[in-house]
Amino acid sequence: MEDLNKLKKRLIADGNLNDEDVQELREALFEDGMTMEKGDFLYSLKESINTKRVSPQFKTLFIDAITTLLLEDEESPGEIDDHEAKWLRAKIQNSEKFDDYDSALLKSLRERSINFPSILNYKNSITRNFEKCLYFTRYLTLLAVFGSLFSAIALFIKGSVIVIDALILFMADLASPNYEHMLEMFVSSVDVFLFAMVLVIFGVGIYELFITKIDPVLQKADGRPSWMHVSNVDDLKSALGKVILMVLIVTFFKHSIEVEYGNVNDLLKLGLGIVLIALSLFITAKSHHK
């Protein structure tokens, strides 16, 4: 390595590498075989010179030397092992930029190696910056999170107002046998509360899917509600579907109270609706069990 360092100082003294210099460098590198120290030296030399002012042969030497180092060693001939892949990734990542030398080297390794570790699928700075911006767009889902939560708050307030009105009606007509209107108001409040729950589940689920896991929930994993077990979009749809089904059932119940049954057909429709509700609950229970 001492001879190589002296050679490096002499070669870069004038900032140029001609064909004779590259040939001398090739002989020094391949004299006793390529080693990691020589690979470090070669990368250091590449970073020290202006690659646009050197002989094109230097690029060929660079690719041949690093390829030989990685693919013609005794430990893993013909393939890139984990240590070699991490070494090369570190060298590329520590460079000021992903240049043509690195691109050509990876292309050569991809063609000649038995394997090509995924860690070496290195992307240029433009692609990486674009992907960072693209990943940052997930915060747009906060609009849906805050919108659903604010809507849920409004619905909870509305449902509470309906309950208060029903209680006032109850106190005013305590002795009255007519309770249908009061019952309708309580059922309406349940309907509103259920839809507010749908919005809460949607907001929390979207936050955990696109932003991050909620720390207070992670700290108490045993006490995590079943509706908060959201690991993908399908889980979110399943949780929402169950609550929406309950909303529809309550809505059906509310309308069944309002309808006046004047003949057998009306009763038949009511019975058919009840059967369909029971069937939907049965299917939901079977799906949850699976």
Side-chain angles (χ1 to χ4, degrees), residues 250-262:
V250 173
T251 303
F252 175 83
F253 177 63
K254 181 177 68 174
H255 288 296
S256 66
I257 296 175
E258 298 173 353
V259 173
E260 295 183 359
Y261 302 98

Side-chain angles (χ1 to χ4, degrees), residues 121-161:
N121 290 321
Y122 196 80
K123 301 172 183 178
N124 57 41
S125 59
I126 296 177
T127 302
R128 285 185 280 116
N129 290 333
F130 173 75
E131 290 182 352
K132 288 180 181 178
C133 295
L134 189 63
Y135 184 64
F136 183 77
T137 59
R138 76 187 193 279
Y139 289 105
L140 292 175
T141 57
L142 288 175
L143 297 175
V145 174
F146 288 120
S148 60
L149 294 181
F150 289 148
S151 301
I153 292 173
L155 288 176
F156 278 124
I157 294 174
K158 177 64 177 177
S160 300
V161 171

Side-chain angles (χ1 to χ4, degrees), residues 219-232:
Q219 294 170 3
K220 297 181 179 180
D222 294 338
R224 187 184 183 93
S226 59
W227 60 268
M228 289 193 69
H229 288 283
V230 179
S231 58
N232 50 53

Side-chain angles (χ1 to χ4, degrees), residues 63-80:
I63 296 173
D64 291 344
I66 301 300
T67 302
T68 300
L69 169 65
L70 300 180
L71 299 184
E72 297 183 13
D73 57 315
E74 296 180 356
E75 290 78 10
S76 55
E79 64 179 359
I80 305 172

Side-chain angles (χ1 to χ4, degrees), residues 35-259:
T35 61
M36 284 294 183
E37 290 76 11
K38 292 181 179 180
D40 293 335
F41 163 81
L42 196 55
Y43 257 99
S44 175
L45 179 61
K46 180 175 78 75
E47 297 299 323
S48 302
I49 61 176
N50 186 350
T51 55
K52 296 181 180 179
R53 298 175 57 189
V54 302
S55 168
Q57 295 299 320
F58 178 71
K59 183 177 182 180
T60 303
L61 169 62
F62 177 81
I63 296 173
D64 291 344
I66 301 300
T67 302
T68 300
L69 169 65
L70 300 180
L71 299 184
E72 297 183 13
D73 57 315
E74 296 180 356
E75 290 78 10
S76 55
E79 64 179 359
I80 305 172
D81 59 32
D82 185 62
H83 174 69
E84 294 169 341
K86 291 180 178 179
W87 174 85
L88 181 56
R89 176 60 187 254
K91 289 299 178 184
I92 295 175
Q93 197 158 327
N94 289 336
S95 301
E96 294 182 358
K97 62 179 181 178
F98 184 75
D99 55 24
D100 294 339
Y101 282 62
D102 298 321
S103 178
L105 172 61
L106 293 180
K107 181 179 179 182
S108 175
L109 291 173
R110 188 178 285 108
E111 293 174 351
R112 297 177 56 182
S113 176
I114 297 175
N115 68 325
F116 191 79
S118 59
I119 194 176
L120 295 180
N121 290 321
Y122 196 80
K123 301 172 183 178
N124 57 41
S125 59
I126 296 177
T127 302
R128 285 185 280 116
N129 290 333
F130 173 75
E131 290 182 352
K132 288 180 181 178
C133 295
L134 189 63
Y135 184 64
F136 183 77
T137 59
R138 76 187 193 279
Y139 289 105
L140 292 175
T141 57
L142 288 175
L143 297 175
V145 174
F146 288 120
S148 60
L149 294 181
F150 289 148
S151 301
I153 292 173
L155 288 176
F156 278 124
I157 294 174
K158 177 64 177 177
S160 300
V161 171
I162 295 175
V163 171
I164 293 173
D165 290 340
L167 291 175
I168 294 174
L169 179 64
F170 170 75
M171 297 301 296
D173 300 330
L174 188 61
S176 175
N178 298 322
Y179 60 89
E180 289 82 3
H181 182 59
M182 183 181 63
L183 181 62
E184 180 183 343
M185 294 178 68
F186 281 127
V187 173
S188 298
S189 67
V190 172
D191 195 16
V192 174
F193 287 142
L194 283 174
F195 196 77
M197 290 169 54
V198 171
L199 295 175
V200 171
I201 294 174
F202 177 77
V204 174
I206 289 295
Y207 183 85
E208 284 211 331
L209 283 178
F210 289 91
I211 308 300
T212 183
K213 295 295 182 181
I214 300 176
D215 289 341
V217 179
L218 293 177
Q219 294 170 3
K220 297 181 179 180
D222 294 338
R224 187 184 183 93
S226 59
W227 60 268
M228 289 193 69
H229 288 283
V230 179
S231 58
N232 50 53
V233 177
D234 289 335
D235 290 342
L236 180 60
K237 290 192 298 183
S238 177
L240 289 175
K242 293 174 183 177
V243 181
I244 291 174
L245 177 61
M246 294 306 300
V247 172
L248 295 176
I249 292 174
V250 173
T251 303
F252 175 83
F253 177 63
K254 181 177 68 174
H255 288 296
S256 66
I257 296 175
E258 298 173 353
V259 173

Side-chain angles (χ1 to χ4, degrees), residues 13-30:
D14 57 355
N16 293 318
L17 287 178
N18 55 36
D19 292 345
E20 291 76 12
D21 295 332
V22 174
Q23 182 60 34
E24 182 181 359
L25 182 60
R26 177 182 288 274
E27 292 174 358
L29 289 172
F30 285 94

